[in-house]
Amino acid sequence: NKDVRTAIAQAMDRAGLLQKTESSNSPATQVIPSSLPGYDKSVSFPAFDLTAAKASLTKSGYKNEQLEFVYIKELQVDAPVLIEQLKALGLNIKETSFTSDETDAALDQLESGDFDLFTAGFTSDISDARDLLGALLSSTESTYPVLKDEAYDKLLADSDKAFDPTERIKLL
């Protein structure tokens, strides 16, 4: 449901998240970091606005269905803050946390698709936005294949035919 996703994006206080987790990072504004070709400063996540987020959630028709949020405690220290923000939005969150000793079990659950929400990080050793977009969102390449979109996967495949990063980004 696009309106639920919009509500979640609007309810994320990225600056507050960094403050509460005592991070020195800058808030992410999009999936592609500014250091990579393909970053577009005109693209951005919605600004934090809890009132607008609640209106988007109401528009979505959300009926207090329980959403399971899966994370690994020691590795994803941002998860409790994100869960707090999601609950402030009005979502009914079931928290499923694993210890670092249970990482394999957590990954098994994520790979099975038996969850609603999770948090993960990704670091690329390739200076190309295509690497991030495939690894994070592709239904054929991602470790956590949650997006099932043939058109998106085709864009990724077509971009693989362009060797110039600028041309590849234009395709994406």
Side-chain angles (χ1 to χ4, degrees):
N1 185 314
K2 182 179 178 182
D3 292 317
V4 170
R5 293 190 307 272
T6 298
I8 290 171
Q10 293 168 322
M12 293 294 98
D13 179 1
R14 291 166 184 83
L17 170 70
L18 294 173
Q19 182 181 17
K20 286 186 175 186
T21 58
E22 299 178 355
S23 173
S24 61
N25 292 325
S26 297
T29 58
Q30 58 180 277
V31 174
I32 305 299
S34 61
S35 60
L36 289 182
Y39 174 81
D40 181 347
K41 62 183 172 190
S42 71
V43 175
S44 184
F45 293 125
F48 169 61
D49 184 338
L50 192 56
T51 302
K54 288 180 178 186
S56 294
L57 189 63
T58 299
K59 180 182 172 191
S60 77
Y62 172 72
K63 304 262 189 273
N64 201 36
E65 299 94 343
Q66 188 175 68
L67 301 172
E68 184 177 19
F69 192 116
V70 177
Y71 70 99
I72 302 168
K73 289 180 191 178
E74 298 89 348
L75 302 178
Q76 297 159 321
V77 297
D78 57 343
V81 179
L82 294 171
I83 290 168
E84 177 184 302
Q85 292 179 2
L86 293 169
K87 287 181 176 180
L89 169 60
L91 294 177
N92 177 3
I93 300 296
K94 174 188 175 191
E95 186 175 342
T96 301
S97 62
F98 293 87
T99 67
S100 59
D101 291 338
E102 301 169 313
T103 298
D104 287 343
L107 293 176
D108 286 346
Q109 183 170 350
L110 292 174
E111 288 172 3
S112 75
D114 186 23
F115 65 94
D116 297 299
L117 302 164
F118 74 103
T119 181
F122 180 80
T123 301
S124 176
D125 57 353
I126 300 170
S127 184
D128 191 329
R130 162 61 177 88
D131 188 46
L132 286 167
L133 294 172
L136 294 175
L137 299 174
S138 170
S139 63
T140 58
E141 299 173 26
S142 176
T143 303
Y144 318 109
V146 296
L147 176 67
K148 305 248 187 291
D149 187 325
E150 290 180 20
Y152 183 82
D153 289 338
K154 183 177 180 333
L155 285 174
L156 291 176
D158 289 348
S159 76
D160 288 340
K161 298 171 188 167
F163 292 101
D164 175 45
T166 304
E167 289 302 313
R168 191 167 26 262
I169 291 303
K170 287 179 185 176
L171 291 168
L172 294 172

Coordinates of all heavy atoms in Angstrom, one line a residue, residues 128 130 141 153-169 171-172:
D128 N 29.3 2.6 -7.8 CA 28.3 2.6 -8.8 C 27.0 2.4 -8.1 O 26.7 1.5 -7.4 CB 28.6 1.5 -9.8 CG 27.7 1.6 -11.0 OD1 26.6 2.1 -11.0 OD2 28.2 1.1 -12.1
R130 N 24.3 1.5 -9.3 CA 23.7 0.2 -9.8 C 23.9 -0.9 -8.8 O 23.0 -1.7 -8.6 CB 24.2 -0.1 -11.2 CG 24.0 -1.6 -11.7 CD 22.5 -1.9 -11.8 NE 22.3 -3.2 -12.3 CZ 22.2 -4.3 -11.6 NH1 22.4 -4.2 -10.2 NH2 22.0 -5.5 -12.1
E141 N 18.3 -10.2 -7.3 CA 19.7 -10.0 -6.8 C 19.8 -9.8 -5.3 O 20.8 -10.1 -4.7 CB 20.4 -8.8 -7.5 CG 20.5 -9.0 -8.9 CD 21.0 -7.7 -9.6 OE1 21.8 -6.9 -8.9 OE2 20.7 -7.5 -10.7
D153 N 13.4 -5.0 -12.4 CA 14.5 -5.9 -12.7 C 15.0 -5.7 -14.1 O 16.2 -5.9 -14.4 CB 14.0 -7.3 -12.4 CG 13.9 -7.6 -11.0 OD1 14.5 -6.9 -10.1 OD2 13.1 -8.6 -10.6
K154 N 14.0 -5.4 -15.1 CA 14.4 -5.2 -16.5 C 15.3 -4.0 -16.6 O 16.3 -4.0 -17.3 CB 13.2 -5.1 -17.4 CG 13.6 -5.0 -18.9 CD 12.4 -4.9 -19.7 CE 12.7 -4.8 -21.2 NZ 13.9 -4.1 -21.6
L155 N 15.0 -2.9 -15.9 CA 15.8 -1.7 -15.9 C 17.2 -2.0 -15.4 O 18.2 -1.6 -16.0 CB 15.2 -0.6 -15.0 CG 14.0 0.1 -15.5 CD1 13.5 1.0 -14.4 CD2 14.3 0.9 -16.7
L156 N 17.3 -2.8 -14.3 CA 18.7 -3.2 -13.9 C 19.4 -4.0 -14.9 O 20.6 -3.8 -15.2 CB 18.5 -4.0 -12.6 CG 18.1 -3.3 -11.3 CD1 17.9 -4.2 -10.2 CD2 19.0 -2.1 -11.0
A157 N 18.7 -5.0 -15.5 CA 19.4 -5.8 -16.6 C 19.8 -5.0 -17.7 O 20.9 -5.1 -18.3 CB 18.4 -6.9 -17.0
D158 N 18.9 -4.0 -18.2 CA 19.3 -3.2 -19.3 C 20.5 -2.3 -18.9 O 21.3 -2.0 -19.8 CB 18.1 -2.3 -19.7 CG 17.0 -3.1 -20.4 OD1 17.2 -4.3 -20.7 OD2 15.9 -2.5 -20.5
S159 N 20.5 -1.8 -17.7 CA 21.6 -0.9 -17.3 C 23.0 -1.7 -17.3 O 24.0 -1.1 -17.5 CB 21.4 -0.3 -15.9 OG 21.6 -1.3 -14.9
D160 N 22.9 -3.0 -17.1 CA 24.1 -3.8 -17.1 C 24.8 -3.8 -18.5 O 26.0 -4.1 -18.6 CB 23.9 -5.2 -16.7 CG 23.6 -5.4 -15.2 OD1 23.9 -4.5 -14.5 OD2 23.0 -6.4 -14.9
K161 N 24.1 -3.4 -19.5 CA 24.6 -3.4 -20.9 C 25.4 -2.1 -21.2 O 26.1 -2.0 -22.1 CB 23.5 -3.6 -21.9 CG 22.8 -4.9 -21.8 CD 21.6 -5.0 -22.6 CE 20.8 -6.2 -22.3 NZ 19.4 -6.2 -22.9
A162 N 25.3 -1.1 -20.3 CA 26.0 0.1 -20.4 C 27.2 0.1 -19.5 O 27.1 -0.1 -18.3 CB 25.1 1.3 -20.1
F163 N 28.4 0.3 -20.1 CA 29.6 0.3 -19.3 C 29.9 1.6 -18.6 O 30.6 1.7 -17.6 CB 30.8 -0.2 -20.1 CG 30.6 -1.7 -20.4 CD1 30.2 -2.0 -21.7 CD2 30.9 -2.6 -19.5 CE1 30.0 -3.4 -22.0 CE2 30.7 -4.0 -19.8 CZ 30.3 -4.3 -21.1
D164 N 29.4 2.7 -19.2 CA 29.6 4.0 -18.7 C 28.7 4.3 -17.5 O 27.4 4.2 -17.7 CB 29.4 5.1 -19.8 CG 29.6 6.5 -19.3 OD1 30.5 6.8 -18.5 OD2 28.7 7.3 -19.7
P165 N 29.1 4.6 -16.3 CA 28.2 4.8 -15.2 C 27.2 5.9 -15.4 O 26.0 5.8 -15.0 CB 29.2 5.2 -14.0 CG 30.5 4.7 -14.4 CD 30.5 4.7 -15.9
T166 N 27.6 7.0 -16.1 CA 26.6 8.0 -16.4 C 25.5 7.5 -17.3 O 24.3 7.8 -17.1 CB 27.3 9.2 -17.1 OG1 28.4 9.6 -16.2 CG2 26.4 10.4 -17.3
E167 N 25.8 6.8 -18.3 CA 24.8 6.2 -19.2 C 23.9 5.2 -18.4 O 22.7 5.1 -18.6 CB 25.4 5.5 -20.4 CG 26.0 6.5 -21.4 CD 25.0 7.5 -21.9 OE1 23.8 7.0 -22.3 OE2 25.2 8.7 -21.9
R168 N 24.6 4.4 -17.6 CA 23.8 3.4 -16.8 C 22.8 4.1 -15.9 O 21.7 3.7 -15.8 CB 24.8 2.6 -15.9 CG 24.2 1.4 -15.3 CD 25.2 0.4 -14.7 NE 26.5 0.8 -14.3 CZ 27.6 0.8 -15.0 NH1 27.6 0.2 -16.2 NH2 28.7 1.2 -14.6
I169 N 23.2 5.2 -15.2 CA 22.3 5.9 -14.4 C 21.1 6.5 -15.2 O 19.9 6.5 -14.7 CB 23.0 7.0 -13.6 CG1 23.9 6.4 -12.6 CG2 22.0 8.0 -12.9 CD1 23.3 5.5 -11.6
L171 N 19.7 5.1 -17.6 CA 18.8 4.0 -17.9 C 17.9 3.7 -16.6 O 16.8 3.2 -16.7 CB 19.5 2.8 -18.3 CG 20.2 2.8 -19.7 CD1 21.1 1.7 -19.9 CD2 19.1 2.8 -20.8
L172 N 18.6 3.9 -15.5 CA 17.9 3.6 -14.2 C 16.9 4.7 -13.9 O 16.0 4.6 -13.2 CB 18.9 3.3 -13.1 CG 19.7 2.1 -13.3 CD1 20.8 2.0 -12.2 CD2 18.9 0.8 -13.2

